[in-house]
Amino acid sequence: MPSLRTETRQPSRPGTKAATVLAPVLSVALLGVLLISVSIGAISVSALDALKIVTGHLLPGMPWMSDGSLTTMQDNAVWQFRLPRAALAALTGASLALAGALIQAVVHNPLAEPYILGVSAGAGVGAVSFIVLGLGISALGISASAFAGAMIATAAVYLLARKAGRIAPQRLILAGVALGALFSAITSYLTISTDAQNVYSIMFFLLGSVSAATMQQLLLPTLALLAVAAFAMTHARQLNALLAGDDAARALGIDVNRLRTTTLIATALLTGAVVAVSGGIGFVGLVVPHVARIIVGSDHRRMLPVAVLGGAVFLATCDLLGRTLAAPSEIPLGVLTALVGAPFFLWLLRRERADRMGMNR
């Protein structure tokens, strides 16, 4: 039997050059957006001073941290508030884009995204229940409840999708849609039955926000993203083979059921980790992987890094716009991801390359 390495080896394609150029461009763009984001706010901090503050905290002993050129208020504004927020937005965007790309590959459905599994809806029930039951509105309590709800939803969808020891993609999607609708109905009932002062907190979580981010909240999403990204890149060839169909993948010696199960569990854990701290932010997991696929092709070795970086840049930019366009008010992230991303995606979908990638079939 020919080896997988031999069968999946592809000649150079136009997307290879695009990925080679795009990855460093997106990396620079991400650093630029993060620097602008930590510079802008009620307390004036120049981009250079913001960079000094971040560098000074990461590398102790820098002279500008003690020579009086930077005030305590500037230091706190950048390090305690703006940087965690911008970093969490980037982490969330990268994670949702990666999860969307992986789910679309294993369920053979271009419309699949993390929320189709009901994970977000389950997290919403957990967070809203915590608020409605009067347990408080602490960020840690809401995040823990949201993560528990996401994991319960994931377990339920996984069990419902199993048949004869196998995960059926169609059953997975239908189970996710049905449970998502059920969880959304429960969330709606809890929202209308609670006191008016709780409604704002509930809506803020459901629409997505990273405004209350802290350095401590970055740990879990960061670890989850690194772990799932490593898993995805080490299985990129198997995911490529899966695009040709289950039978073709099995012919190459791939355990399709095991690959599908482990990938879904990994994406569910990743989605739960970010939804718990950033709320329900839709659209990223659906749009960003498609945009990456149109530009660099379907090879996961090229597409996944571009999708991760693109998701980070996209959501970090949305967060920057959300807290500056209507200042001092704030636009929820979920609103901006749809308003900014949908027109761009529709424009890109009309281009010739989208037809070549089979996006308009």
Side-chain angles (χ1 to χ4, degrees):
M1 178 180 295
S3 67
L4 176 62
R5 180 182 297 273
T6 301
E7 291 291 337
T8 58
R9 183 170 294 163
Q10 302 280 336
S12 178
R13 296 179 177 179
T16 303
K17 184 177 181 180
T20 304
V21 175
L22 202 55
V25 168
L26 287 173
S27 299
V28 173
L30 178 59
L31 292 176
V33 171
L34 292 177
L35 184 58
I36 295 172
S37 187
V38 299
S39 304
I40 294 179
I43 299 175
S44 178
V45 183
S46 68
L48 179 59
D49 286 343
L51 182 61
K52 285 182 176 179
I53 291 171
V54 174
T55 306
H57 281 278
L58 296 177
L59 301 172
M62 293 292 110
W64 54 79
M65 297 299 287
S66 57
D67 62 6
S69 60
L70 301 169
T71 68
T72 302
M73 291 184 64
Q74 289 177 321
D75 183 84
N76 288 337
V78 172
W79 185 253
Q80 297 293 337
F81 298 103
R82 297 175 190 170
L83 183 60
R85 174 180 184 145
L88 181 58
L91 282 172
T92 301
S95 300
L96 293 178
L98 176 59
L102 293 177
I103 291 175
Q104 287 161 17
V106 298
V107 304
H108 300 300
N109 190 324
L111 297 179
E113 63 158 336
Y115 296 91
I116 205 170
L117 298 181
V119 178
S120 178
V125 172
V128 173
S129 299
F130 183 86
I131 297 172
V132 171
L133 292 175
L135 300 177
I137 55 173
S138 70
L140 180 60
I142 293 176
S143 297
S145 301
F147 186 76
M151 292 302 99
I152 291 173
T154 301
V157 172
Y158 179 78
L159 292 175
L160 288 171
R162 283 181 65 87
K163 184 178 182 180
R166 290 186 173 185
I167 297 294
Q170 293 82 4
R171 288 171 64 92
L172 184 81
I173 294 173
L174 293 175
V177 170
L179 284 178
L182 175 63
F183 290 140
S184 296
I186 295 173
T187 300
S188 298
Y189 174 76
L190 292 174
T191 303
I192 63 173
S193 63
T194 188
D195 296 333
Q197 64 265 24
N198 291 331
V199 174
Y200 181 79
S201 298
I202 292 173
M203 295 305 298
F204 216 64
F205 176 84
L206 295 179
L207 291 174
S209 175
V210 292
S211 61
T214 64
M215 284 293 184
Q216 291 73 25
Q217 286 182 323
L218 299 179
L219 179 61
L220 181 60
T222 301
L223 294 177
L225 176 60
L226 292 176
V228 176
F231 167 84
M233 293 309 298
T234 55
H235 291 78
R237 291 179 181 275
Q238 288 89 335
L239 292 171
N240 287 345
L242 200 59
L243 291 178
D246 288 7
D247 291 339
R250 290 192 184 96
L252 293 172
I254 296 173
D255 187 337
V256 173
N257 195 46
R258 182 177 181 181
L259 175 63
R260 182 167 284 134
T261 299
T262 52
T263 303
L264 290 174
I265 292 175
T267 55
L269 289 171
L270 179 60
T271 305
V274 296
V275 170
V277 293
S278 61
I281 302 172
F283 206 71
V284 181
L286 172 64
V287 172
V288 174
H290 282 315
V291 173
R293 197 174 291 116
I294 290 172
I295 296 175
V296 303
S298 298
D299 189 331
H300 289 86
R301 293 169 295 180
R302 298 194 304 264
M303 189 270 283
L304 290 177
V306 171
V308 168
L309 289 170
V313 173
F314 176 63
L315 205 58
T317 304
C318 286
D319 177 58
L320 176 60
L321 295 175
R323 68 183 183 86
T324 55
L325 287 180
S329 299
E330 186 170 314
I331 304 174
L333 270 176
V335 175
L336 274 176
T337 54
L339 289 176
V340 175
F344 176 72
F345 179 64
L346 292 175
W347 170 78
L348 201 60
L349 203 60
R350 299 285 299 176
R351 293 171 65 85
E352 181 183 358
R353 184 162 178 76
D355 291 325
R356 293 203 301 268
M357 294 304 300
M359 300 290 294
N360 290 334
R361 292 174 184 170

